[in-house]
Amino acid sequence: MLFVPVFEGTDPLEDLPGLDTATGGDISRARESSEFRGRLYELFIARVTGGPYRALRLALVGAGRREDADAERLRRVAAACSYTARIRSARSAAFVVRAGLDPIRVAEIGADGMSTAEFDAGTYKSDRDTRGFPERIVIVSPAADPTALAEAVFRGRTLGASANVTRELANEPSNVLTPRVFAERVAAVATEVGLKVEVLDEQQIRALKMGMLLGVAQGSAEPPRLVVIRHDPPGAPASPVLGFIGKGITFDTGGVSIKPAEGMERMKYDMSGGAAVAGAMRALALLKAPRRVIGVIPMAENMVGGKAVRPGDVLTAASGTTVEIINTDAEGRLILGDAIWYAQELGATHLVDIATLTGACMVALGRTSSGLFGTPDAWVETVQNAGTLAGDRLWHLPLHEEYRELLKSEIADMLNSAGRWAGASTAAMFLREFVKDRPWAHLDIAGTAWAEERRAYQAKGATGVAVRTLVELGLRTHI
Ligand code: BES
Ligand code: MN
Ligand code: ZN
């Protein structure tokens, strides 16, 4: 099946001579009658009956307006192709990089997007959809240099497959993916691609005095873990050392400040930030990224119970900061605070943390973009640009100094929750307290890590958001 993205409006398909004749004039008929107009994800399938094209089927895919064709859009178009290929049981699927687009960049995006349907969330269904993913994915980019094209396709496949590793982890139910199992699975993913991994158990976490991570974990029968993944390419410069820190709450009941029953089942994806770090580290290793990167993933289950932390309790962070717990449901910032501190102890010079941190960020931005916070502005801008190139939409939200006052405690150095207003920003402000004078950015992916609705380009469930932004930062961003 040959997939051809077609732009809305005038798109004469001049770079694909003979295509219309190959389908016996079906294409021109469909376009003249407005059966196919190139509207986003619109589909028109024709039989190939002659001409120079070897495919049995031709699929025109609406790509929307040419001027809107950024990385995110093009990847989604390719992803829609991959779902069509799968539904139609295509054994081989080819994606055409249209003339006028950057042939290398779009080949990478095409290979990445075409990998989307390879992920299957149906593993727990007895009557699962057995229609397989195509055996072969082909990227057609006539204008590209063959060597550069092969490399771009490898990058794209690696990105797509790594994002699928993240999606697979985030989709797992919490009885399967406990902190211990999460740690084992991440360690296996990392070891397989030659990364160095360390899994710290509860004793080692205690030895590091991570009172916030331990405080969150103490209500659960499942012990916490802290996973450290290192990408240390030979000959890499001593600095920068990127530090990626991902929230790994395998289930969030809210703790004693318990969440309402409705929708609580979703809180299995509260480890999506941690899963994104794991997926990104995998890709960076396979792509032999030139700089040093450290991934730190604190893992715990936030439960209710006789041993659980209470509102009013005071916890002492590994950094020495004392924190009065106001709301046990503000647990992500606690485990991240200790992990951010540790990433710096390990030598990280530039930090990015990724977390399904606040409902407030979802209230502000919905499901269309992740919240972006940080200091200094230059680093925030660097991360923002990496997001745009990678096709992850990030929206910069403020960290006004006044927010810090809302975190003042009567008894300790800080509160863990400042209540309702500017909830995404005050959560970020809490994290900032653990950053020691170096560039730091925080991505709140609460609204973007999970798709509640099936779309042409996206299955319901975990999205793999932020993986590509992290890879962009480790691979080719100028720092
Ligand atoms: N994991 C949640 C945030 C979340 C909410 C993620 C909805 C995905 C969807 C986080 O731990 C949390 O509970 N945050 C609280 C903080 C509040 C108690 C200050 C929130 O957002 O309500
Ligand atoms: Mn919570
Ligand atoms: Zn949470």
Side-chain angles (χ1 to χ4, degrees):
M1 202 161 207
L2 179 69
F3 289 92
V4 179
V6 179
F7 294 106
E8 205 176 327
T10 37
D11 182 347
L13 294 168
E14 75 285 0
D15 49 335
L16 295 156
L19 200 63
D20 189 35
T21 344
T23 61
D26 267 5
I27 295 179
S28 48
R29 275 193 293 276
R31 298 184 82 192
E32 272 154 31
S33 67
S34 288
E35 183 185 346
F36 179 85
R37 289 186 290 173
R39 292 290 211 38
L40 202 49
Y41 314 127
E42 201 181 356
L43 192 62
F44 178 76
I45 298 181
R47 211 152 67 91
V48 179
T49 51
Y53 294 91
R54 278 161 54 205
L56 295 174
R57 291 283 183 281
L58 170 78
L60 303 184
V61 185
R65 291 176 356 189
R66 198 178 254 275
E67 60 268 33
D68 298 337
D70 59 4
E72 184 187 47
R73 168 65 58 83
L74 289 168
R75 192 177 70 237
R76 285 180 173 181
V77 169
C81 296
S82 79
Y83 283 111
T84 301
R86 184 165 182 160
I87 289 162
R88 306 223 166 213
S89 303
R91 295 243 312 278
S92 170
F95 180 84
V96 176
V97 177
R98 297 293 313 282
L101 303 171
D102 179 339
I104 292 304
R105 192 89 202 184
V106 177
E108 176 184 321
I109 293 169
D112 179 353
M114 287 295 277
S115 308
T116 308
E118 193 169 23
F119 166 67
D120 180 7
T123 46
Y124 292 98
K125 282 191 186 286
S126 321
D127 64 340
R128 67 191 279 207
D129 186 346
T130 50
R131 282 171 296 191
F133 184 70
E135 283 158 28
R136 221 155 70 99
I137 295 291
V138 179
I139 304 297
V140 184
S141 186
D145 162 70
T147 312
L149 178 60
E151 285 167 7
V153 170
F154 177 70
R155 281 196 303 274
R157 274 296 280 163
T158 303
L159 275 171
S162 300
N164 286 346
V165 166
T166 296
R167 293 165 74 199
E168 210 170 286
L169 288 167
N171 261 336
E172 285 288 18
S174 304
N175 61 328
V176 172
L177 202 88
T178 60
R180 279 182 293 179
V181 174
F182 189 19
E184 276 168 24
R185 299 262 300 252
V186 168
V189 165
T191 315
E192 202 194 316
V193 297
L195 289 161
K196 285 177 254 168
V197 205
E198 234 179 306
V199 177
L200 277 61
D201 65 15
E202 61 272 37
Q203 275 92 32
Q204 292 164 297
I205 293 169
R206 194 163 303 120
L208 288 166
K209 300 195 166 68
M210 295 191 170
M212 297 198 294
L213 175 55
L214 290 166
V216 171
Q218 75 190 37
S220 171
E222 291 291 338
R225 289 290 182 264
L226 184 78
V227 175
V228 178
I229 313 170
R230 279 192 181 81
H231 174 64
D232 244 327
S239 167
V241 181
L242 288 174
F244 296 156
I245 303 104
K247 174 175 174 181
I249 292 291
T250 61
F251 194 75
D252 183 9
T253 65
V256 172
S257 317
I258 196 165
K259 287 181 181 295
E262 198 182 320
M264 201 203 273
E265 70 281 0
R266 282 285 174 257
M267 282 301 117
K268 68 175 187 174
Y269 85 92
D270 214 14
M271 33 59 71
S272 297
V277 169
M281 296 300 294
R282 175 189 190 271
L284 287 168
L286 289 171
L287 299 177
K288 303 192 176 15
R291 61 173 60 113
R292 298 169 62 196
V293 188
I294 305 176
V296 180
I297 313 173
M299 301 170 176
E301 192 182 43
N302 188 23
M303 296 292 277
V304 203
K307 290 189 175 158
V309 70
R310 291 156 288 253
D313 287 3
V314 174
L315 301 178
T316 304
S319 65
T321 306
T322 56
V323 176
E324 180 186 358
I325 304 302
I326 295 300
N327 191 317
T328 63
D329 200 7
E331 85 297 340
R333 62 197 76 183
L334 298 173
I335 71 167
L336 286 169
D338 277 340
I340 287 171
W341 170 84
Y342 195 50
Q344 295 168 99
E345 292 289 303
L346 296 177
T349 60
H350 294 67
L351 308 172
V352 182
D353 77 74
I354 309 94
T356 48
L357 202 63
T358 66
C361 193
M362 254 170 111
V363 171
L365 301 174
R367 297 193 169 281
T368 56
S369 52
S370 308
L372 167 64
F373 306 79
T375 71
D377 282 344
W379 179 239
V380 174
E381 202 182 307
T382 298
V383 175
Q384 173 93 66
N385 291 338
T388 305
L389 285 170
D392 283 322
R393 233 186 282 169
L394 310 176
W395 197 268
H396 189 188
L397 292 169
L399 277 178
H400 298 308
E401 234 17 82
E402 289 90 328
Y403 297 144
R404 179 63 185 82
E405 284 161 34
L406 303 173
L407 290 168
K408 276 200 179 137
S409 163
E410 288 170 5
I411 163 172
D413 297 335
M414 203 169 28
L415 301 175
N416 83 322
S417 163
R420 213 169 144 207
W421 309 115
S425 288
T426 54
M429 210 62 180
F430 181 94
L431 297 178
R432 198 193 68 173
E433 290 297 312
F434 299 93
V435 177
K436 287 182 274 187
D437 192 33
R438 64 196 75 190
W440 156 75
H442 157 61
L443 305 182
D444 194 330
I445 58 169
T448 48
W450 192 268
E452 285 295 346
E453 237 135 347
R454 195 174 78 90
R455 306 220 187 262
Y457 56 85
Q458 163 75 62
K460 245 181 159 177
T463 61
V465 70
V467 170
R468 297 169 182 91
T469 300
L470 297 181
V471 175
E472 190 69 39
L473 284 167
L475 194 62
R476 51 194 161 188
T477 303
H478 177 77
I479 295 172

